[in-house]
Amino acid sequence: MQLTQNHSVSLRLTAVAVLALTAGLAGAQDVQTVRIAHAGPTSGGIAHIGKDTENGVRMAIDEINTQGIVIGGKKIKFELAAEDDAGDPRQATAVAQKLCDSKVAGVVGHLQSGTTIPASSVYNKCDLPHITVAATNPDVTKRGYATTFRLIADDNALGAALAVHASDKLKLKTVAVIDDRTAYGQGLANVFKATARQKGMQVVAEEFTTDKATDFMAILTNIKSKKPDAVFYGGLDSQAGPMLRQMDQLGMANVKFFGGDGLCTEKLGALASKAPTLKNVTCATGGASVEKMQGGAAWKKKYDARFPGQFQIYSPYAYDATFVLVDAMKRAKSVDPVVYAPFIGKTKLKGITANIAFTPKGELTVPAVTLYAFKNNVRAEMN
């Protein structure tokens, strides 16, 4: 009898263990891993900007994973798929195809207009939504892809704001224009030139370089001979820094210097080796300064604690873009890009950067522009 009772107890314990194991396996199976990608330059001359946006996505994913999100009856664990496009259009399209083939759920990227525009065609073909937080050329959304969204003001807003400031506020009469021959640099320069001419300014020189160059002495010498009140550069901080140093060497200490968001970074002072010409810089970014974003100060404190010394400019937008993707998935009750993509266009989300909503073309309904100067070699918002 005792043996029978022990055997019965043993069977019951075994059954309980099997049930517990089965429940555990079922629970594990109910957790679905969903990958959100960041695509941008994390190597090369502007790696510091690409790493900043990647940090924003990583920070958002980690916070979202603490919320216990359930979509379509399954617990969701988000993971970051980080890809380096090296700022190269051909590599960007290869990265885009890789992300399509590997079935990521959405993409935050790319960083530059020259990489975003070709990559957007790839994403459109495979129905994969992507949100750029930095590419400002208007052509990014002109084709009307239902998979393409922009979380920042475009060049029409940035270039025009800089030209209006140069003409109306600073009363400048002449300007020389340089661009880096990328989609971003040319697009921004063209908008600035058109608006400057409308305001009565004279464009006395038009020069170009590349987004890999470091020696600008020849074009700056030519520009100096035209005696412009200002130089506008359509390009990135990795070229603007050396350009400012060389302007100082050529005695162009009184020439104003304008540029867009690509050079309006925290690192410009260091790249310019704190040249005296930094005091002449006026640059524009889409959106509000992080200090004036809703919740921006508290967010930046968390960012700096996790990524000390790495903040540049776009990480708050990358952070918000990640939440936009996940918010659309939740409302669609699906992580399938084909299913949830239409819900992105219906976004009404209170983000760190702004209250986010999109036009039918994927642009922000209310984009903002902020002008900055450099005071004591540090970027500071202009009053």
Side-chain angles (χ1 to χ4, degrees):
M1 184 67 178
Q2 186 66 38
L3 288 173
T4 302
Q5 287 175 338
N6 287 342
H7 183 64
S8 177
V9 170
S10 176
L11 285 174
R12 287 199 298 272
L13 290 172
T14 301
V16 169
V18 170
L19 286 171
L21 178 60
T22 302
L25 289 172
Q29 289 169 347
D30 284 342
V31 177
Q32 181 178 355
T33 298
V34 176
R35 294 189 303 145
I36 293 176
H38 170 268
T42 51
S43 64
I46 56 168
H48 54 289
I49 306 178
K51 288 174 182 174
D52 179 48
T53 54
E54 183 181 300
N55 289 345
V57 177
R58 192 182 305 277
M59 192 168 159
I61 286 174
D62 289 349
E63 289 188 22
I64 290 166
N65 280 336
T66 67
Q67 297 176 3
I69 289 176
V70 176
I71 298 175
K74 293 184 178 180
K75 293 180 181 178
I76 303 296
K77 179 186 177 184
F78 291 97
E79 287 186 354
L80 172 63
E83 292 291 340
D84 177 17
D85 67 17
D88 178 75
R90 286 176 295 183
Q91 190 160 326
T93 56
V95 163
Q97 190 60 57
K98 177 182 178 181
L99 294 174
C100 287
D101 295 341
S102 63
K103 306 297 183 185
V104 300
V107 181
V108 178
H110 294 231
L111 186 74
Q112 297 146 277
S113 298
T115 52
T116 301
I117 290 170
S120 67
S121 297
V122 178
Y123 295 132
N124 182 60
K125 289 176 183 176
C126 73
D127 297 313
L128 181 59
H130 75 108
I131 304 176
T132 179
V133 300
T136 54
N137 190 306
D139 288 347
V140 168
T141 59
K142 266 186 182 176
R143 288 167 294 181
Y145 291 153
T147 48
T148 297
F149 298 86
R150 176 166 25 216
L151 207 65
I152 201 164
D154 69 11
D155 288 341
N156 290 330
L158 297 179
L162 287 163
V164 169
H165 181 78
S167 173
D168 295 0
K169 184 75 173 177
L170 300 181
K171 309 297 182 184
L172 304 182
K173 301 299 182 184
T174 59
V175 62
V177 176
I178 310 170
D179 74 70
D180 66 0
R181 279 303 187 257
T182 65
Y184 163 71
Q186 282 186 288
L188 186 61
N190 288 339
V191 173
F192 179 89
K193 282 187 293 187
T195 308
R197 284 170 172 150
Q198 288 171 7
K199 300 295 292 183
M201 293 180 68
Q202 182 183 1
V203 179
V204 297
E206 295 183 50
E207 299 281 354
F208 65 89
T209 181
T210 75
D211 61 350
K212 305 293 189 296
T214 56
D215 183 357
F216 310 102
M217 294 298 278
I219 60 176
L220 289 174
T221 298
N222 182 53
I223 286 172
K224 182 182 178 182
S225 70
K226 306 294 176 62
K227 300 180 179 179
D229 296 328
V231 168
F232 176 88
Y233 177 56
L236 305 171
D237 63 355
S238 51
Q239 280 65 54
M243 196 176 291
L244 286 164
R245 292 200 308 268
Q246 290 161 36
M247 286 176 68
D248 180 57
Q249 292 165 15
L250 288 169
M252 301 172 72
N254 296 319
V255 179
K256 301 296 183 185
F257 190 89
F258 293 87
D261 54 335
L263 63 84
C264 202
T265 65
E266 300 276 353
K267 197 174 180 180
L268 181 62
L271 290 168
S273 300
K274 300 181 179 179
T277 43
L278 266 171
K279 71 180 186 301
N280 297 326
V281 173
T282 300
C283 55
T285 69
S289 63
V290 69
E291 293 81 10
K292 291 188 177 179
M293 291 175 184
Q294 49 196 19
W299 178 88
K300 182 148 187 304
K301 186 176 181 180
K302 289 190 294 184
Y303 179 97
D304 288 341
R306 182 164 179 188
F307 306 108
Q310 295 186 47
F311 181 79
Q312 295 299 320
I313 182 171
Y314 299 118
S315 47
Y317 300 94
Y319 175 91
D320 270 359
T322 310
F323 274 89
V324 167
L325 293 172
V326 174
D327 174 68
M329 293 176 195
K330 288 161 63 177
R331 286 182 287 113
K333 299 179 181 178
S334 174
V335 296
D336 183 340
V338 175
V339 176
Y340 85 79
F343 287 79
I344 300 175
K346 301 172 185 176
T347 296
K348 291 184 179 178
L349 183 69
K350 183 177 181 180
I352 293 296
T353 57
N355 293 330
I356 299 167
F358 295 103
T359 69
K361 283 197 171 183
E363 298 281 4
L364 285 177
T365 55
V366 188
V369 174
T370 300
L371 297 183
Y372 291 88
F374 281 77
K375 299 177 181 178
N376 299 320
N377 302 313
V378 176
R379 191 185 69 175
E381 183 177 352
M382 297 179 70
N383 296 323

